[in-house]
């Protein structure tokens, strides 16, 4: 499943938690790239990631908990 992470609406976003979340739920992103994607997301740019189907339910829950707006592409 592909997700488009649109924005983070948290008052004080936790960069480390968001980067860890991206690295854990995505199928092909390492820690370094997740940090870069987190910076892009918090600057207001949309970020595309791919999530394995078996992790999709828990991934969406974690994103909602971190106040990250997303849309499902596929």
């Amino acid at each position: 499943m592909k997700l488009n992470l649109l924005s983070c609406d948290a008052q004080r976003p936790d960069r480390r938690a968001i980067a860890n979340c991206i690295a854990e739920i995505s199928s092909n992103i390492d820690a370094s790239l997740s940090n870069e994607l987190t910076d892009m997301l918090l600057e207001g740019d949309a970020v595309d990631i791919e999530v394995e189907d078996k992790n999709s339910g828990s991934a969406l829950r974690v994103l909602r908990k971190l106040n990250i707006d997303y849309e499902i592409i596929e």
Side-chain angles (χ1 to χ4, degrees):
M1 171 170 62
K2 289 187 180 183
L3 295 176
N4 189 11
L5 307 181
L6 302 171
S7 64
C8 180
D9 295 333
Q11 285 278 354
R12 302 170 90 188
D14 185 349
R15 288 181 182 269
R16 187 171 22 149
I18 295 170
N20 288 339
C21 172
I22 291 172
E24 287 178 16
I25 67 173
S26 65
S27 57
N28 57 354
I29 296 178
D30 63 1
S32 175
L33 182 55
S34 70
N35 285 325
E36 290 179 35
L37 294 176
T38 299
D39 290 339
M40 291 172 54
L41 179 66
L42 294 178
E43 289 174 2
D45 297 329
V47 174
D48 292 335
I49 63 171
E50 190 165 333
V51 178
E52 294 180 20
D53 288 333
K54 66 178 183 171
N55 296 334
S56 62
S58 61
L60 298 178
R61 244 186 330 274
V62 171
L63 291 173
R64 285 191 299 268
K65 183 177 178 184
L66 292 170
N67 292 324
I68 297 175
D69 290 332
Y70 61 87
E71 67 180 0
I72 298 172
I73 298 172
E74 289 181 12

